[in-house]
Amino acid sequence: AEVEETLKRIQAHKGVIATIVINAEGIPIRTTLDNSTTVQYAGLLHQLTMKARSTVRDIDPQNDLTFLRIRSKKHEIMVAPDKEYLLIVIQNPCE
Amino acid sequence: GHPEIFPLVFTTKTQEIFNCRVDEDVTEENCFKLIKKEDIIQDLKTRATISDFHPVKKVVLEYPGEELLVVFDAKFQYGQNFYFVASEEAKENLLKPPETAEEKEEEEEEEEEENGEETLEVHPYKPPVHKPWISLGSEKEVEEESVKDTVTKIKYMISRVRRKFGAPITFADKNASNVKDSYVECTSYQDKTFSIKMLEKDVGIQMVPKVREASTQTKWAYPKNAATQYFPRQLSNEEKEESQSSEKLKEFLTSVHLRMEIALQQNEIMNAFFDDWKALAEDESSSGGKPDVYLKAYQSFTDLHHLRDRTISCVCWHPTIYGIIAASARKRLSYEEQVNLCDKSLLHQSVILFWSFFDPIHPQLILECPEDIYCFQFSPSDPNIIAGGCINGQVVLWDISQHEEKLQNAKTVADGVKETAVNMVNASVLNILQYIYPSLTQVQQSSTEPPLVRYYAVSSIEYSHKKPVTDIHWLPDYFEDDRVGATSENRAEICVQLVTCSPDSSVLFWDIPATKLPEQPSSEKVKEKKVFYMPPDVPDTFKHLDLCWKPLTKINLCESDTNREYSPIRISLRELHYHYKTSEKVQSVNTLEVPAKESPYREMSTPSSKNLKGLENISTDFSVGTEVSENNRLLMKMLIQDIQKTEQLNNRKHTQKYAIHTETINTLQRSPFFKDIILSIGGRNFAIWKEGVTNGPILQSSCSAGRYTAGQWSLTRPGVFFIGRDDGNIDIWDLLKKTHEISHFQNISESMITFISPWIASAKQHFLAVSDDLGVLHVLEICQTLSDPSRNEHANVLDYFEREVKYLKYCEQEFQEHQEFQ
């Protein structure tokens, strides 16, 4: 369906290692990783996104979090939050 | 005031009438004017109310005298410019005093202008008139403030008879004891009649809070250990399906994917965190001046006792324990003898020695071998299992798990601290004695003596190779390869298969029945389709295999059409994901590349696995480097089908043969970084091949002065490899620097180098083990420049290879065109 298409498109980008979709409670719905890693990523990133969002809104209640990027030595984790879901993409930047 | 003075205003008309015009008739000095009363009355009658005398009409009428005095008041003393004197007496007074000065001149009461002789008009001195004092109430104040006696003063008069004054005094004695306390005094006492009662007192008050002490007792809770166990929530499959098809998810993805794609693209376009400064430094070091390239001698091991007249045939590092290296020794044979190897029974004991960095003098462990070992390998899954190939074609297995601990504690042994208390005293003594009395060491069973481990299993002679086993490899453990890392294994992580090759033109596959695998049932063997019979049931040791061990499969490397037999010397396996047992996730480590022959690519599923999952995605191609019996050294590739279909076993496609090397290939190794790049070394040159490129090697070196006898890729740098020569030199080739000649060479020993083995002991320590013909094992430390890859080295080397491939293609094209042209 469209869902598949969109996810495939994202997955097909250069350097993308994994894609995870989790719901508002942090339970993974869709993933390309194995289960244990997915669950770990989901739990940790869900909490971090909540924290980041509350930080942004504390500073300015009119504001809201739109995107979260974590750059590490090995790769980059990108989180796109929404009201009900969370899209997590892990990419290895070109170098 | 002066009640008889009436100030008047004289208008000009009036002044004319009465001739008292200002400054003409009347001046400041002559200010008196006497005016007849009748004239005034007449004026009054004529002018009535407008007459100036009107306000004083009554006074004028009552005036007793005949003439009235009008005085010009130049200074407006009384408020107007004239004033009218109303009484005779005042008139007289006014006139007279000024006239007293002028008495002599005017005594008349005629209307005369006064002379200005008297310049000053002095008021006549009036002595103060005594007036009655009017009280304004001040005497009351005075009275209040004055002090008066309220009480009459008391008077006392004290008198005394006169005769008492000056009378003589008589003293009398008094006994002190009569008086209480022997003390007489006149005490003072408070007489209440004189005390003043205080009726009023100023007192200060301060408020303070009430302080009260109180205490409570709490219950002491002693600490208790508590634990929680949790597992992550997961959705069931139905729920997942449901949520995946929900509308909300679609909306979410539509709204989100744009952001994500932007971010992904950003990353693809450029690396925002690229550190230019750092990159500059690295580029400089590689392009700029000559860096210091060297192999630092770290240690060298030799054992006179065991290695006399022997050469080291193979060197292997212990995969897990740091600092343990094993070397196999065999009899030094001349070149001719080497070529025509036959099974020689050697009297001298063949051994594999284990060395530790911490004890350069004593080998840690000695493995007893039935014959000279040509090559051996540690099992990747269990470093305590060692497989070796003998010079007579047999395959030998050892199990050193009992001594694993000793090897791990090799450091403590070297320091002289013994594990057993009993030998505490003997240890150091024995060390010394070992040199003085060599025989003692053979007798003593102390822990200084490296333990002798007997081989556990030897293959059966009739089913082994006929010629020396020149190469032995453990087959990798197959698993499903994920991008992130293998987590789903389909079997126990044990390598249980071996492949050996020998110049008798056969490649044998061996299967080791699991000795320590508790879960491996023997029923698995049934699934295996073998050409030959498999060893019997699962035992506890390999003992049962002794002399009964038969290979799993045998591949004859014969060309069916020409009937030419090829003698494989080295095997190189393609997929070499060895997992050394670590606690964390499985890591793939490249095998220690013993030069191997290239065998055809084939798909294989190891029969000893539990679940025979289809492993089509893994290719188990291997290449074989051969020595053809007719002095044609060839490099051969073959393609073998799935081993399970044994009927197709002979259906092999020979793809390519290359005759590049002049002598036996002694090294055939895949690059640890590129799966399809193979280095082959033999004779006087080496060649680099790429799989799939069938025209020829992508790089071929020119003939060198000395023979190349050993070689290995560097484990850390993609473009570097080491070659050992027969004059004891190590040549270091760096493909990124120079491809036509060596970049560095270093002399290690005087004799021929027999084996090279690099190893990464830690991030900072990279070692190169070099063994030579004299039986000495040198361990060298690779310097930083040789061990640290430069930034894009991988990409650069890959680039280089691709360029070479293109060049080859181009050459081929040219050649073909040339051919066509002709």
Side-chain angles (χ1 to χ4, degrees):
Chain A
E2 295 166 21
V3 167
E4 305 282 341
E5 252 186 57
T6 322
L7 283 176
K8 268 212 181 73
R9 245 205 7 239
I10 292 181
Q11 186 77 14
H13 268 267
K14 179 178 166 200
V16 170
I17 299 171
T19 313
I20 305 171
V21 178
I22 61 178
N23 73 348
E25 296 181 326
I27 305 176
I29 295 178
R30 193 65 203 240
T31 172
T32 60
L33 282 180
D34 55 286
N35 202 22
S36 52
T37 324
T38 305
V39 151
Q40 187 178 28
Y41 267 106
L44 293 168
L45 285 168
H46 178 250
Q47 286 179 25
L48 186 67
T49 315
M50 289 301 124
K51 190 76 178 174
R53 181 182 268 152
S54 75
T55 307
V56 168
R57 291 190 74 129
D58 262 352
I59 293 170
D60 178 11
Q62 309 289 331
N63 213 352
D64 196 9
L65 182 71
T66 51
F67 208 79
L68 184 65
R69 275 165 100 153
I70 303 166
R71 181 80 174 231
S72 74
K73 270 199 272 199
K74 297 192 184 163
H75 39 245
E76 177 157 349
I77 303 171
M78 290 173 272
V79 179
D82 196 53
K83 280 195 299 298
E84 297 113 18
Y85 296 95
L86 213 69
L87 174 66
I88 302 169
V89 174
I90 306 166
Q91 186 195 29
N92 197 2
C94 60
E95 48 181 338
Chain B
H2 299 269
E4 61 270 19
I5 304 291
F6 294 99
L8 286 176
V9 180
F10 276 6
T11 59
T12 324
K13 187 97 173 58
T14 317
Q15 287 174 20
E16 285 173 9
I17 297 171
F18 293 103
N19 298 323
C20 53
R21 287 179 284 268
V22 179
D23 291 334
E24 285 181 17
D25 301 321
V26 182
T27 62
E28 202 165 337
E29 293 88 14
N30 298 328
C31 54
F32 295 107
K33 183 81 177 162
L34 287 163
I35 305 171
K36 283 196 172 100
K37 183 174 169 184
E38 291 155 6
D39 291 333
I40 296 171
I41 291 170
Q42 199 170 5
D43 182 55
L44 277 169
K45 282 177 186 172
T46 51
R47 292 204 298 164
T49 51
I50 62 171
S51 167
D52 289 326
F53 285 102
H54 184 75
V56 295
K57 179 181 176 183
K58 196 176 175 205
V59 177
V60 167
L61 290 171
E62 289 174 0
Y63 193 78
E66 283 279 320
E67 290 181 340
L68 287 96
L69 177 64
V70 170
V71 183
F72 170 62
D73 188 4
K75 291 178 186 151
F76 289 86
Q77 198 174 357
Y78 293 103
Q80 302 296 344
N81 55 355
F82 282 91
Y83 64 85
F84 166 73
V85 179
S87 70
E88 281 282 330
E89 196 181 315
K91 181 176 95 179
E92 294 296 327
N93 283 343
L94 279 173
L95 280 173
K96 264 190 189 166
E99 282 177 14
T100 50
E102 313 166 16
E103 226 176 323
K104 300 157 192 176
E105 300 167 4
E106 279 184 58
E107 287 178 9
E108 293 169 334
E109 293 178 70
E110 292 291 325
E111 201 178 308
E112 287 182 5
E113 289 180 6
E114 284 184 351
N115 288 342
E117 287 180 14
E118 287 295 323
T119 54
L120 286 171
E121 197 179 307
V122 180
H123 275 277
Y125 171 69
K126 279 187 195 159
V129 177
H130 187 83
K131 289 183 193 142
W133 175 63
I134 305 167
S135 163
L136 292 170
S138 56
E139 68 263 14
K140 281 191 210 139
E141 286 178 26
V142 172
E143 219 178 282
E144 273 174 29
E145 290 297 323
S146 63
V147 177
K148 295 184 187 68
D149 289 333
T150 49
V151 202
T152 53
K153 289 199 169 84
I154 303 169
K155 282 189 192 157
Y156 282 99
M157 197 177 85
I158 304 165
S159 62
R160 197 160 129 180
V161 178
R162 187 164 191 291
R163 66 171 178 275
K164 290 204 177 160
F165 285 95
I169 303 193
T170 52
F171 287 102
D173 282 332
K174 195 170 188 183
N175 199 351
S177 56
N178 295 340
V179 186
K180 182 183 170 201
D181 291 336
S182 315
Y183 182 63
V184 181
E185 69 169 349
C186 188
T187 53
S188 60
Y189 65 97
Q190 195 174 35
D191 194 350
K192 288 255 165 52
T193 56
F194 293 102
S195 65
I196 306 171
K197 193 171 169 189
M198 205 187 269
L199 292 172
E200 203 176 80
K201 196 164 149 182
D202 272 327
V203 172
I205 294 185
Q206 184 173 18
M207 273 226 332
V208 287
K210 242 182 181 175
V211 170
R212 190 171 67 102
E213 270 192 29
S215 61
T216 50
Q217 177 135 26
T218 58
K219 218 174 184 181
W220 173 66
Y222 54 92
K224 265 186 280 196
N225 278 340
T228 348
Q229 185 159 19
Y230 61 91
F231 59 91
R233 279 185 301 171
Q234 287 172 10
L235 299 174
S236 68
N237 280 341
E238 298 85 28
E239 284 174 336
K240 275 194 194 165
E241 293 298 326
E242 186 196 316
S243 57
Q244 281 197 25
S245 54
S246 72
E247 269 301 311
K248 284 188 179 172
L249 190 66
K250 282 197 193 115
E251 280 171 27
F252 160 71
L253 279 177
T254 2
S255 79
V256 139
H257 87 271
L258 193 63
R259 291 178 250 169
M260 192 56 78
E261 295 212 337
I262 292 175
L264 287 168
Q265 260 183 352
Q266 278 175 356
N267 277 342
E268 282 170 25
I269 293 169
M270 72 159 277
N271 181 14
F273 299 97
F274 184 72
D275 192 349
D276 293 311
W277 184 247
K278 232 190 218 170
L280 193 67
E282 283 193 13
D283 286 343
E284 260 210 12
S285 67
S286 56
S287 62
K290 200 168 177 182
D292 204 13
V293 169
Y294 58 92
L295 296 167
K296 194 168 75 172
Y298 189 77
Q299 272 194 13
S300 67
F301 304 101
T302 184
D303 186 86
L304 297 165
H305 178 66
H306 295 280
L307 294 176
R308 199 174 303 148
D309 291 339
R310 318 206 101 217
T311 174
I312 296 179
S313 53
C314 184
V315 171
C316 252
W317 291 84
H318 196 287
T320 48
I321 303 177
Y322 167 80
I324 300 282
I325 186 170
S328 70
R330 63 177 175 83
K331 189 146 191 314
R332 203 183 302 143
L333 302 166
S334 69
Y335 184 59
E336 286 308 313
E337 284 174 330
Q338 244 180 327
V339 171
N340 304 320
L341 271 175
C342 43
D343 2 8
K344 289 188 172 184
S345 61
L346 301 154
L347 298 166
H348 202 99
Q349 175 90 74
S350 331
V351 291
I352 293 182
L353 297 170
F354 274 67
W355 299 97
S356 158
F357 278 174
F358 307 107
D359 189 0
I361 305 173
H362 309 109
Q364 297 301 309
L365 204 62
I366 300 182
L367 300 184
E368 187 191 328
C369 327
E371 307 285 343
D372 273 350
I373 297 287
Y374 210 92
C375 58
F376 70 98
Q377 284 272 354
F378 285 91
S379 161
S381 54
D382 184 5
N384 292 329
I385 311 274
I386 303 157
C390 292
I391 217 166
N392 63 348
Q394 284 180 308
V395 178
V396 189
L397 281 175
W398 291 272
D399 184 359
I400 57 164
S401 31
Q402 294 167 356
H403 306 276
E404 184 183 356
E405 212 183 298
K406 178 182 185 286
L407 282 179
Q408 275 175 345
N409 300 334
K411 190 171 189 184
T412 55
V413 171
D415 291 344
V417 176
K418 297 308 166 213
E419 288 146 8
T420 61
V422 175
N423 292 320
M424 192 71 89
V425 180
N426 298 336
S428 45
V429 176
L430 281 169
N431 260 327
I432 302 164
L433 288 176
Q434 199 169 2
Y435 290 106
I436 304 171
Y437 304 106
S439 57
L440 267 179
T441 59
Q442 289 158 4
V443 177
Q444 291 282 355
Q445 284 300 318
S446 68
S447 45
T448 52
E449 169 73 15
L452 198 64
V453 179
R454 198 177 176 276
Y455 48 90
Y456 270 40
V458 166
S459 63
S460 78
I461 297 182
E462 58 235 53
Y463 292 108
S464 312
H465 291 284
K466 305 288 175 286
K467 288 206 176 165
V469 177
T470 48
D471 202 10
I472 186 167
H473 272 292
W474 288 88
L475 285 172
D477 199 12
Y478 291 89
F479 55 94
E480 265 185 21
D481 197 355
D482 271 5
R483 250 153 133 210
V484 183
T487 51
S488 46
E489 319 279 330
N490 10 356
R491 86 218 30 214
E493 309 167 21
I494 310 281
C495 286
V496 290
Q497 289 209 324
L498 290 169
V499 56
T500 60
C501 67
S502 155
D504 65 353
S505 58
S506 61
V507 174
L508 294 177
F509 289 85
W510 305 78
D511 187 73
I512 300 170
T515 58
K516 293 178 192 111
L517 301 174
E519 68 270 43
Q520 199 173 11
S522 53
S523 58
E524 287 185 7
K525 307 295 184 290
V526 178
K527 292 182 196 168
E528 297 153 354
K529 294 182 189 172
K530 309 159 265 270
V531 177
F532 292 94
Y533 176 61
M534 259 310 292
D537 306 4
V538 185
D540 281 329
T541 64
F542 291 137
K543 282 281 190 308
H544 71 291
L545 283 177
D546 215 1
L547 291 176
C548 320
W549 191 16
K550 299 176 185 83
L552 185 56
T553 334
K554 177 173 178 173
I555 300 171
N556 270 324
L557 296 175
C558 307
E559 271 201 20
S560 43
D561 44 354
T562 60
N563 225 7
R564 187 199 283 173
E565 282 197 350
Y566 294 103
S567 318
I569 300 285
R570 298 288 184 204
I571 295 184
S572 159
L573 287 150
R574 184 160 210 243
E575 285 275 333
L576 296 166
H577 291 276
Y578 282 3
H579 299 254
Y580 293 111
K581 267 193 188 155
T582 51
S583 52
E584 46 178 44
K585 258 197 215 166
V586 208
Q587 345 158 341
S588 331
V589 178
N590 287 320
T591 69
L592 306 167
E593 300 282 7
V594 180
K597 302 179 199 180
E598 298 183 54
S599 288
Y601 293 88
R602 80 224 230 96
E603 289 212 8
M604 238 174 77
S605 60
T606 314
S608 62
S609 67
K610 274 190 191 173
N611 342 322
L612 285 176
K613 247 188 180 182
L615 294 161
E616 291 84 20
N617 51 344
I618 300 195
S619 68
T620 70
D621 306 330
F622 52 98
S623 320
V624 175
T626 73
E627 157 206 288
V628 174
S629 46
E630 291 132 1
N631 274 358
N632 283 343
R633 281 50 166 168
L634 296 180
L635 204 66
M636 196 168 70
K637 286 187 183 186
M638 296 190 293
L639 199 63
I640 300 185
Q641 302 296 323
D642 194 343
I643 194 176
Q644 284 193 327
K645 303 158 193 156
T646 54
E647 61 273 15
Q648 297 172 13
L649 207 56
N650 300 321
N651 186 8
R652 296 182 292 243
K653 273 190 300 186
H654 303 264
T655 52
Q656 293 294 334
K657 299 189 286 276
Y658 309 96
I660 301 291
H661 302 283
T662 53
E663 294 176 7
T664 318
I665 292 170
N666 55 43
T667 301
L668 193 68
Q669 192 193 11
R670 274 169 208 276
S671 164
F673 296 90
F674 307 106
K675 285 282 158 292
D676 49 1
I677 301 288
I678 303 155
L679 170 74
S680 71
I681 303 176
R684 292 184 185 274
N685 57 357
F686 72 86
I688 296 182
W689 309 81
K690 187 176 163 100
E691 276 167 13
V693 174
T694 53
N695 312 336
I698 50 179
L699 177 69
Q700 188 181 345
S701 80
S702 52
C703 280
S704 73
R707 281 172 50 233
Y708 291 143
T709 50
Q712 288 278 322
W713 286 97
S714 158
L715 290 178
T716 47
R717 292 190 61 185
V720 171
F721 51 93
F722 307 98
I723 295 186
R725 292 155 58 125
D726 59 348
D727 54 1
N729 279 2
I730 295 269
D731 288 347
I732 302 170
W733 287 77
D734 188 348
L735 288 177
L736 288 179
K737 285 221 184 96
K738 294 184 250 193
T739 56
H740 61 283
E741 62 172 14
I742 55 174
S743 28
H744 188 77
F745 73 92
Q746 189 164 337
N747 184 274
I748 307 293
S749 88
E750 301 99 25
S751 63
M752 181 179 83
I753 305 277
T754 52
F755 205 83
I756 298 179
S757 176
W759 188 245
I760 302 172
S762 70
K764 293 280 180 220
Q765 277 189 321
H766 297 256
F767 292 117
L768 192 69
V770 178
S771 65
D772 66 7
D773 212 25
L774 293 172
V776 182
L777 177 65
H778 304 266
V779 174
L780 306 156
E781 197 171 338
I782 307 177
C783 70
Q784 197 106 26
T785 24
L786 275 184
S787 51
D788 285 348
S790 62
R791 273 191 44 95
N792 295 321
E793 187 156 337
H794 194 272
N796 289 343
V797 174
L798 196 65
D799 247 353
Y800 164 71
F801 288 140
E802 309 220 325
R803 281 203 309 272
E804 291 294 322
V805 168
K806 276 193 200 144
Y807 175 67
L808 266 181
K809 281 200 186 119
Y810 171 75
C811 284
E812 170 111 2
Q813 253 182 338
E814 287 273 312
F815 184 67
Q816 276 182 0
E817 279 172 20
H818 180 75
Q819 292 255 326
E820 279 166 26
F821 182 67
Q822 287 188 343

